[in-house]
């Protein structure tokens, strides 16, 4: 039951009707029943993995809460009896118990994720459960927040189960935060025309990107990889450098249309039930730096890594000591660059480590590790050399806010992103270096004019992709300019007739140019089994 199937449409319609027919205080049970049905229908016995996560996270949360309450109550009762040292020792022992509980639950859940991701494909009949990374990140984030006493532990296991398994976001996110999502899931909602309209518009926009652009473009990318990429380079590799560059750029379009399209559908379905899921994309290809790109791309994963990994590393004692060593060694009259180096070093190294983890998360192939290293290195070097880069810009009298410079920044950043994408497209690490070499030293447009036909798409397919890309580009410019996050918001100030015309044009485009129907095997969303 994929997001693009009629079965999913029927499922959401039935759930929507039942949700608004029953009393508001019971509405969350409809979402829970629907979410569990959706997951069991998709995976059968493999649903036991998410059940294990729900049980361990729930028990971990209530145990942490119990230990915290016991600490407070015991200290209060012995306030007049214990010395300061005795209180401190008791709190330290209790905190050690809490850390052990947290560590045990985290190891169990991330251990299962790692085992299934890296060893599961080699075991007959064992598949990677739908959205396992996303529900693992979301649930463990909740547990860490309970440990840090940022949120109270959920005492109702069924309400926690809904937070972990909410069906619109379980396929590929966005990764929700407990304090921002849980109340929305469990409180009642009145049926709303505005929510229905905005939700339907988001769903249509997601289907437009998925069915018209992503599912068509993926054919060429699959044809490229299935033919070995540049496996036999440098002798008789099947594709030239211009074709390689074209495929990587097409992948950038396909990946964005697929991933953001799926998120739009997720957010749209949730909006039908009055629930606002987090924004996960914000026009990433308009980024002016690589760090800006990662603030716009897969925003909720970046926020999770920042909150639970990056800050823990960057503010740890060894990292801070390392930074202070360079800062203090210079004295008052020391080198400003070395002082800057000492100041940003903890942040730079923590960022590099985070991207190593992001690369490992993508898969066991060494090319994914290289993807993480590439992004981490560029970000780390840019942080360290920031004063030098600013000095060069000032020396050249470049106005940072000027349009030509902004266009230059966008193109420069896009090139850095494309290099990272090479590692995604390539068959393996060796092939990725071959692809980069060909892009740099084997450009041949006349050869490309012969090769593009071998990518499995016809001229009409390319024209449809160009049409979809043009619509996507124009809407993205408007959303960037107005600082909004959905095409529905673009039209809300127009008359109803204009809105309906645009909606009908979108539906007509999907029906005319979308890939669907009997005999068609829809492409899975890129991140649905991450």
């Amino acid at each position: 039951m994929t997001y693009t199937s009629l079965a999913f449409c029927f499922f959401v319609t039935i759930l929507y009707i039942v949700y608004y027919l029953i009393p508001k205080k019971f509405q969350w049970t409809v979402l829970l029943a629907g979410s569990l049905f959706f997951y069991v229908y998709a995976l059968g016995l493999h649903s036991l993995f998410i059940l294990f996560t729900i049980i361990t996270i729930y028990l971990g949360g209530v145990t942490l809460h119990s230990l915290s309450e016991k600490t407070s109550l015991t200290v209060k009762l012995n306030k007049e009896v214990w010395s300061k040292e005795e209180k401190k020792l008791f709190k330290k022992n209790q905190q050690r118990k809490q850390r052990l509980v947290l560590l045990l639950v985290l190891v169990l859940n991330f251990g299962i994720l790692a085992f299934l991701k890296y060893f599961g494909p080699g075991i007959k009949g064992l598949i990677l459960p739908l959205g396992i990374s996303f529900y693992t990140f979301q649930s463990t984030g909740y547990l860490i927040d309970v440990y840090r006493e940022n949120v109270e532990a959920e005492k109702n296991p069924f309400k926690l189960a809904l937070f972990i398994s909410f069906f619109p976001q379980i396929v590929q996110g966005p990764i929700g935060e407990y304090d921002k999502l849980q109340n929305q899931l469990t409180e009642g909602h009145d049926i709303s025309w505005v929510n229905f309209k905005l939700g339907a518009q988001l769903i249509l926009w997601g289907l437009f990107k998925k069915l018209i652009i992503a599912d068509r473009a993926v054919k060429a990318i699959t044809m490229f990889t299935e033919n070995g990429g540049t496996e036999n380079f440098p002798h008789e590799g099947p594709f030239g450098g211009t074709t390689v560059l074209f495929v990587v750029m097409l992948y950038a379009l396909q990946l964005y249309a697929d991933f953001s399209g799926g998120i739009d559908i997720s957010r749209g379905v949730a909006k039908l039930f009055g629930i606002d899921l987090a924004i996960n994309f914000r026009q990433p290809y308009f980024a002016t730096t690589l760090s800006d790109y990662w603030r716009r791309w897969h925003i909720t994963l970046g926020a999770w890594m920042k909150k639970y990994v990056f800050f823990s590393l960057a503010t740890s004692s060894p990292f801070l000591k390392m930074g202070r060593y360079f800062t203090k060694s210079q004295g008052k009259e020391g080198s400003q660059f070395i002082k800057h180096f000492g100041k940003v070093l903890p942040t730079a190294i923590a960022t590099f480590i985070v991207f190593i983890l992001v690369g490992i998360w993508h898969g066991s192939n060494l090319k994914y590790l290289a993807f993480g290293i590439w992004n981490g290195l560029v970000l780390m070097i840019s942080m360290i050399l920031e004063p030098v880069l600013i000095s060069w810009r000032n020396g050249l009298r470049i106005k940072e806010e000027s349009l030509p410079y902004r266009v230059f920044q966008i193109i420069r950043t896009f090139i850095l992103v494309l290099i990272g994408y090479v590692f995604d497209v390539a068959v393996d690490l060796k092939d990725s270096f071959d692809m980069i070499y060909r892009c740099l030293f084997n450009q041949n447009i006349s050869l490309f004019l012969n090769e593009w036909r071998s990518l499995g798409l016809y001229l009409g397919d390319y024209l449809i992709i160009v049409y979809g890309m043009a619509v996507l580009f124009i809407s993205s410019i408007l959303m960037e300019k107005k600082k909004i996050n959905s095409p529905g918001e673009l039209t809300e100030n127009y008359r109803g007739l204009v809105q309906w015309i645009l909606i009908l044009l979108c539906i007509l485009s999907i029906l005319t140019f979308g890939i669907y129907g009997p005999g068609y095997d829809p492409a899975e969303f890129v991140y649905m089994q991450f």
Side-chain angles (χ1 to χ4, degrees):
M1 188 162 55
T2 64
Y3 277 6
T4 58
S5 67
L6 285 176
F8 182 75
C9 180
F10 180 75
F11 165 73
V12 172
T13 301
I14 296 298
L15 205 65
Y16 181 83
I17 293 171
V18 175
Y19 183 80
Y20 286 111
L21 281 178
I22 68 171
K24 287 196 288 186
K25 66 178 181 179
F26 299 120
Q27 286 178 336
W28 69 271
T29 62
V30 175
L31 293 181
L32 176 60
S35 298
L36 295 179
F37 171 80
F38 177 82
Y39 207 78
V40 172
Y41 180 87
L43 288 178
L45 283 175
H46 287 87
S47 303
L48 292 174
F49 287 111
I50 195 172
L51 179 62
F52 177 83
T53 294
I54 291 169
I55 292 171
T56 55
I57 294 294
Y58 172 75
L59 293 176
V62 294
T63 302
L64 289 172
H65 179 73
S66 176
L67 287 170
S68 178
E69 281 195 330
K70 181 181 178 181
T71 301
S72 299
L73 181 60
T74 305
V75 169
K76 185 177 179 180
L77 291 173
N78 293 277
K79 185 178 180 181
E80 305 298 330
V81 180
W82 283 352
S83 65
K84 186 176 180 180
E85 288 72 22
E86 287 175 318
K87 290 178 185 176
K88 187 176 180 180
L89 181 61
F90 177 75
K91 287 182 178 180
K92 187 176 180 180
N93 288 332
Q94 290 297 101
Q95 192 174 43
R96 186 182 296 114
K97 291 178 183 178
Q98 288 180 301
R99 279 198 298 268
L100 286 173
V101 171
L102 176 66
L103 184 62
L104 175 63
V105 179
L106 292 183
V107 168
L108 283 173
N109 283 277
F110 281 112
I112 288 174
L113 172 62
F115 175 79
L116 292 175
K117 203 171 185 67
Y118 301 115
F119 302 104
I123 300 175
K124 185 178 180 181
L126 189 61
I127 64 172
L128 196 64
L130 191 69
I132 183 172
S133 290
F134 298 103
Y135 73 67
T136 300
F137 282 133
Q138 181 159 307
S139 58
T140 54
Y142 153 79
L143 191 67
I144 296 170
D145 282 340
V146 172
Y147 170 78
R148 293 175 176 177
E149 298 186 356
N150 293 330
V151 301
E152 289 188 11
E154 176 58 69
K155 295 179 177 61
N156 188 325
F158 299 105
K159 288 185 177 181
L160 183 65
L162 174 58
F163 169 73
I164 294 173
S165 66
F166 184 44
F167 77 93
Q169 66 178 139
I170 204 165
V171 172
Q172 54 181 2
I175 302 167
E177 295 184 51
Y178 181 82
D179 58 340
K180 296 176 182 175
L181 185 58
Q182 185 67 357
N183 287 339
Q184 292 191 75
L185 291 171
T186 55
E187 67 186 6
H189 297 93
D190 293 315
I191 193 167
S192 164
W193 165 246
V194 173
N195 285 341
F196 179 83
K197 182 181 72 171
L198 292 176
Q201 287 172 331
L202 270 171
I203 293 170
L204 285 174
W205 183 231
L207 290 173
F208 181 94
K209 289 192 279 188
K210 173 66 174 169
L211 298 180
I212 294 178
I213 302 174
D215 279 6
R216 184 169 272 105
V218 76
K219 290 183 178 181
I221 297 157
T222 303
M223 184 67 70
F224 177 86
T225 56
E226 287 183 351
N227 278 279
T230 59
E231 189 177 14
N232 297 317
F233 177 81
H235 303 295
E236 295 182 21
F239 295 110
T242 308
T243 306
V244 171
L245 180 60
F246 173 76
V247 169
V248 175
M249 294 180 70
L250 191 63
Y251 175 76
L253 175 66
Q254 183 267 334
L255 179 65
Y256 176 63
D258 184 283
F259 199 3
S260 69
I263 295 295
D264 288 337
I265 296 172
S266 298
R267 292 181 58 226
V269 171
K271 190 68 177 177
L272 296 178
F273 299 98
I275 297 162
D276 292 312
L277 296 182
I279 304 298
N280 215 33
F281 292 91
R282 193 173 283 115
Q283 293 75 251
Y285 295 147
F286 290 159
T288 54
T289 64
L290 192 60
S291 59
D292 184 30
Y293 165 81
W294 283 107
R295 285 191 292 268
R296 294 164 172 261
W297 178 277
H298 206 345
I299 297 169
T300 56
L301 175 63
W304 194 96
M305 287 289 183
K306 186 176 182 180
K307 184 176 181 181
Y308 302 114
V309 180
F310 172 80
F311 281 135
S312 298
L313 290 172
T315 59
S316 65
S317 180
F319 278 65
L320 293 177
K321 284 180 180 178
M322 183 169 44
R324 282 196 294 266
Y325 171 80
F326 289 97
T327 304
K328 289 182 177 181
S329 66
Q330 295 302 300
K332 292 183 178 180
E333 303 300 327
S335 166
Q336 291 299 314
F337 176 78
I338 299 298
K339 287 182 178 179
H340 167 79
F341 178 78
K343 184 179 180 180
V344 303
L345 187 60
T347 300
I349 296 178
T351 299
F352 182 73
I353 293 173
V354 164
F355 276 92
I356 292 293
L357 295 175
V358 169
I360 293 171
W361 170 69
H362 274 80
S364 58
N365 195 310
L366 284 176
K367 67 175 186 171
Y368 295 120
L369 179 61
F371 169 84
I373 291 173
W374 166 254
N375 283 278
L377 273 178
V378 172
L379 290 169
M380 184 167 66
I381 292 170
S382 65
M383 289 179 197
I384 293 171
L385 296 182
E386 185 180 12
V388 177
L389 298 175
I390 291 174
S391 176
W392 286 355
R393 189 181 66 215
N394 293 338
L396 294 171
R397 297 181 180 180
I398 296 173
K399 294 182 179 179
E400 188 176 2
E401 66 278 3
S402 66
L403 180 61
Y405 183 63
R406 179 174 172 78
V407 172
F408 163 76
Q409 287 180 301
I410 292 173
I411 294 173
R412 176 197 61 190
T413 303
F414 187 63
I415 292 171
L416 294 174
V417 170
L418 284 181
I419 294 173
Y421 283 163
V422 168
F423 298 105
D424 279 351
V425 177
V427 176
D428 52 32
L429 184 60
K430 175 184 176 295
D431 189 48
S432 64
F433 291 127
D434 292 344
M435 288 173 65
I436 292 172
Y437 185 94
R438 288 201 166 209
C439 286
L440 291 174
F441 303 110
N442 191 26
Q443 289 296 318
N444 190 327
I445 295 177
S446 61
L447 181 62
F448 167 72
L449 294 176
N450 293 323
E451 289 183 337
W452 68 269
R453 293 180 178 85
S454 63
L455 292 173
L457 295 178
Y458 299 103
L459 179 60
D461 292 313
Y462 287 112
L463 292 175
I464 292 172
I465 290 172
V466 170
Y467 162 72
M469 184 174 65
V471 173
L472 182 59
F473 182 68
I474 293 169
S475 62
S476 296
I477 289 176
L478 294 174
M479 286 190 282
E480 178 76 5
K481 185 177 180 180
K482 296 189 176 184
K483 300 186 184 304
I484 55 179
N485 299 297
S486 70
E489 296 174 77
L490 286 175
T491 62
E492 64 181 356
N493 293 325
Y494 290 91
R495 293 180 179 179
L497 179 61
V498 174
Q499 294 185 34
W500 277 110
I501 290 174
L502 292 173
I503 290 171
L504 290 173
L505 283 174
C506 185
I507 294 173
L508 184 62
S509 294
I510 294 170
L511 293 176
T512 305
F513 303 126
I515 301 181
Y516 59 90
Y520 172 67
D521 183 19
E524 289 186 346
F525 286 94
V526 174
Y527 280 91
M528 67 181 292
Q529 284 192 307
F530 268 71

